[in-house]
């Protein structure tokens, strides 16, 4: 069995804390969304209507808003220019639904305005997809082989994996900015106010922390791989 698969001190130091943090963030986003899904907004506006409102406020047209199955499967697809809202968001009038829908509309606005970090993230995506598919094959092969060929495969695999890490990091400013756009629109237009606004903000903040946890996990995984490669080389 390759060294990489063993549960040793490097796993405990580099990876285990990240898994715990990610689990806490996931539990927090679920509980926060559940809490504010039970609180309706005073305008009685659905998630789909809220997303459409944000688009209009930003002068963005030509974006479809569709329903998609599942829970928290909401996303914006730049390839088809479609916002897809989940079961708990599309027709829901909850504070949480409005927050999430406005966030996805924020992504559509970024796309329409050619937001630079979003373009950078899009440029990295094809490289990250190749890296995620090939990196682990090369890393595992490199750990099986010995001598020069093993080291070469291992380091190439690590370089390819770093592209996936770079994409994860590049995602952070895009996600934070989408939430910022959403909350600014909600606040300035008084779409939500008082405790309703605070509920939407807390929902989006909780969701944002899952992206931070994901980036941290990717960075620490890369750090562990580099450490193992250097120790093996020595």
């Amino acid at each position: 069995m390759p060294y990489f698969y063993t549960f040793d001190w490097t796993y405990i130091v580099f990876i285990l804390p990240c898994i715990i943090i990610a689990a806490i963030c996931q539990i927090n986003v679920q509980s926060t969304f559940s809490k504010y899904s039970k609180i309706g907004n005073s305008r009685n506006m659905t998630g789909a209507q809220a997303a459409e409102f944000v688009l209009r406020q930003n002068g963005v047209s030509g974006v479809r808003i569709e329903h998609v199955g599942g829970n928290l499967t909401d996303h914006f697809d730049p390839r088809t220019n479609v916002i897809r809202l989940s079961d708990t968001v599309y027709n829901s009038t909850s504070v949480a639904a409005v927050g999430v829908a406005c966030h996805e509309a924020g992504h559509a606005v970024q796309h329409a305005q050619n937001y630079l970090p979003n373009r950078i993230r899009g440029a990295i995506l094809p490289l990250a997809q190749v890296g995620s598919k090939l990196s682990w094959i090369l890393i595992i092969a490199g750990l099986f082989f010995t001598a020069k060929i093993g080291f070469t495969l291992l380091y190439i695999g690590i370089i390819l994996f770093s592209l996936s890490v770079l994409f994860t990091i590049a995602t952070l400013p895009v996600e934070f900015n989408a939430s910022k756009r959403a909350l600014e629109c909600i606040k300035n237009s008084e779409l939500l106010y008082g405790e309703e606004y605070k509920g939407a903000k807390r929902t989006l903040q909780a969701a944002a922390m899952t992206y931070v946890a994901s980036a941290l996990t990717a960075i620490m995984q890369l750090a562990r791989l580099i450490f193992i490669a250097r120790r093996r080389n020595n």
Side-chain angles (χ1 to χ4, degrees):
M1 180 176 289
Y3 174 82
F4 175 75
Y5 283 105
T6 58
F7 189 88
D8 65 347
W9 70 268
T10 64
Y11 185 91
I12 295 172
V13 171
F14 287 97
I15 307 302
L16 191 58
C18 296
I19 293 175
I20 295 171
I21 292 171
I24 292 171
C25 290
Q26 193 60 44
I27 292 170
N28 183 48
V29 73
Q30 292 284 354
S31 62
T32 304
F33 184 84
S34 177
K35 176 181 177 180
Y36 291 107
S37 287
K38 298 171 184 174
I39 302 174
N41 69 83
S42 55
R43 289 198 180 194
N44 204 36
M45 182 177 282
T46 66
Q49 291 170 334
E52 186 178 358
F53 179 84
V54 172
L55 295 175
R56 286 200 309 270
Q57 289 292 104
N58 286 275
V60 177
S61 59
V63 179
R64 296 199 316 276
I65 301 172
E66 298 178 352
H67 174 262
V68 65
N71 181 38
L72 294 179
T73 51
D74 312 271
H75 64 280
F76 169 67
D77 187 347
R79 298 167 300 178
T80 56
N81 216 24
V82 173
I83 296 173
R84 297 189 176 93
L85 302 177
S86 64
D87 295 331
T88 51
V89 172
Y90 187 85
N91 281 318
S92 173
T93 58
S94 73
V95 167
V98 169
V100 171
C102 290
H103 172 88
E104 298 307 331
H107 282 307
V109 174
Q110 288 174 337
H111 181 68
Q113 297 179 351
N114 288 316
Y115 178 57
L116 181 58
N118 197 40
R119 289 164 55 193
I120 293 172
R121 179 179 176 270
I124 296 171
L125 177 58
L127 299 174
Q129 289 175 330
V130 173
S132 65
K133 290 177 181 178
L134 297 178
S135 59
W136 292 109
I137 297 173
L138 294 173
I139 289 168
I140 293 171
L143 291 169
F144 268 110
F145 287 101
T146 57
K148 187 174 181 180
I149 186 171
F151 296 138
T152 301
L153 292 173
L154 181 57
Y155 281 111
I156 292 175
I158 290 174
I159 291 170
L160 290 175
F161 180 75
S162 68
L163 296 173
S164 298
V165 177
L166 183 61
F167 176 79
T168 306
I169 295 171
T171 296
L172 292 178
V174 176
E175 292 297 330
F176 281 117
N177 179 261
S179 290
K180 180 182 177 182
R181 289 171 186 265
L183 291 170
E184 284 180 351
C185 187
I186 290 171
K187 189 173 184 178
N188 294 338
S189 63
E190 294 189 339
L191 185 62
L192 302 175
Y193 50 89
E195 290 303 313
E196 292 180 6
Y197 173 79
K198 289 180 182 179
K201 184 176 182 179
R202 286 168 185 160
T203 300
L204 294 184
Q205 286 175 334
M209 290 310 298
T210 63
Y211 289 99
V212 174
S214 178
L216 177 62
T217 302
I219 291 169
M220 294 306 287
Q221 183 70 274
L222 177 61
R224 183 182 183 230
L225 289 170
I226 293 172
F227 180 85
I228 291 173
R230 292 186 65 180
R231 189 162 75 171
R232 179 169 175 173
N233 190 32
N234 292 333

